[in-house]
Amino acid sequence: MTLFLCGFMGCGKTALGKALAKRLELPLVDMDDLIVEREGMTIPEIFDQKGEPYFRKVESRLVDELAHTPQIVSCGGGVMTNPLNALIVRQSNGIIVYLQQKFAVCYERIKDDPNRPIVQSHTKEELQRMFDNRERWYQVNATYSVLAGETPEESADRVMRILKKWSPQFLPKEEV
């Protein structure tokens, strides 16, 4: 079973993924890193040279590929706003965990990141509207939602409690 972590840019998906991968003894795949590796260019370069629609198609193909291998997947911020991607995960018996974080926290983490073309091309107010819109999709498409903790380990504790209660088949035997 594959665990997909979704949420807005800067919410802590990759840090949570690292903590969960260690606890669940599963590999961690960061979708953005894998896309950069496979495409041979940075995300801003992909957006500039091939456009956002191309990038979103690459993400969707990757979701379909990753959904069939037991692992933790840290999704890009827009991946689970696409209902088709969520359907692919559900049909593969994967789990989508929405990591809820306040916009102000996310914004502080991403505002100066040159590797986030959406952040660089939008105002804070536009990003707030994007956050609000995406949050609805995350909630609709997620299997579970969890509030981000103060640390990745605290967030991992919260996810582990949910998995123990609702999806124990996902856990290593000693965790159940």
Side-chain angles (χ1 to χ4, degrees):
M1 190 175 305
T2 307
L3 179 66
F4 286 81
L5 304 175
C6 76
F8 199 68
M9 301 171 279
C11 73
K13 298 177 297 281
T14 300
L16 170 59
K18 289 175 184 176
L20 285 174
K22 185 175 181 180
R23 289 187 185 187
L24 295 171
E25 301 171 359
L26 289 171
L28 170 65
V29 175
D30 183 293
M31 286 185 66
D32 285 346
D33 289 348
L34 187 54
I35 290 170
V36 166
E37 178 184 317
R38 288 185 177 180
E39 293 291 316
M41 57 180 81
T42 67
I43 292 173
E45 290 170 337
I46 296 169
F47 270 64
D48 287 344
Q49 295 175 27
K50 298 184 177 186
E52 185 176 355
Y54 173 84
F55 180 78
R56 299 299 174 201
K57 287 179 187 173
V58 170
E59 283 182 325
S60 292
R61 285 194 304 268
L62 197 52
V63 167
D64 188 39
E65 176 186 331
L66 297 173
H68 306 287
T69 304
Q71 57 196 333
I72 309 294
V73 178
S74 174
C75 296
V79 173
M80 288 304 160
T81 63
N82 180 338
L84 177 59
N85 291 341
L87 179 63
I88 290 167
V89 173
R90 282 193 295 277
Q91 288 177 339
S92 71
N93 293 316
I95 295 173
I96 302 169
V97 174
Y98 165 39
L99 183 59
Q100 296 175 302
Q101 182 60 273
K102 294 177 183 174
F103 173 75
V105 173
C106 294
Y107 184 74
E108 281 304 309
R109 292 175 178 171
I110 64 174
K111 67 180 181 181
D112 297 320
D113 188 341
N115 290 315
R116 297 183 187 273
I118 289 176
V119 174
Q120 299 309 312
S121 64
H122 289 78
T123 66
K124 182 177 181 180
E125 294 75 24
E126 290 169 329
L127 291 169
Q128 174 73 60
R129 284 191 296 277
M130 182 183 296
F131 176 91
D132 295 340
N133 181 54
R134 285 183 174 187
E135 186 172 40
R136 288 187 287 259
W137 283 109
Y138 299 144
Q139 291 170 351
V140 166
N141 291 327
T143 312
Y144 308 113
S145 294
V146 64
L147 293 173
E150 293 293 318
T151 66
E153 290 72 26
E154 186 179 20
S155 295
D157 287 342
R158 292 175 180 181
V159 172
M160 293 298 286
R161 284 193 297 272
I162 289 171
L163 293 175
K164 282 182 181 181
K165 184 173 182 177
W166 300 106
S167 299
Q169 73 279 8
F170 195 83
L171 301 171
K173 288 185 182 359
E174 61 273 4
E175 287 284 343
V176 178

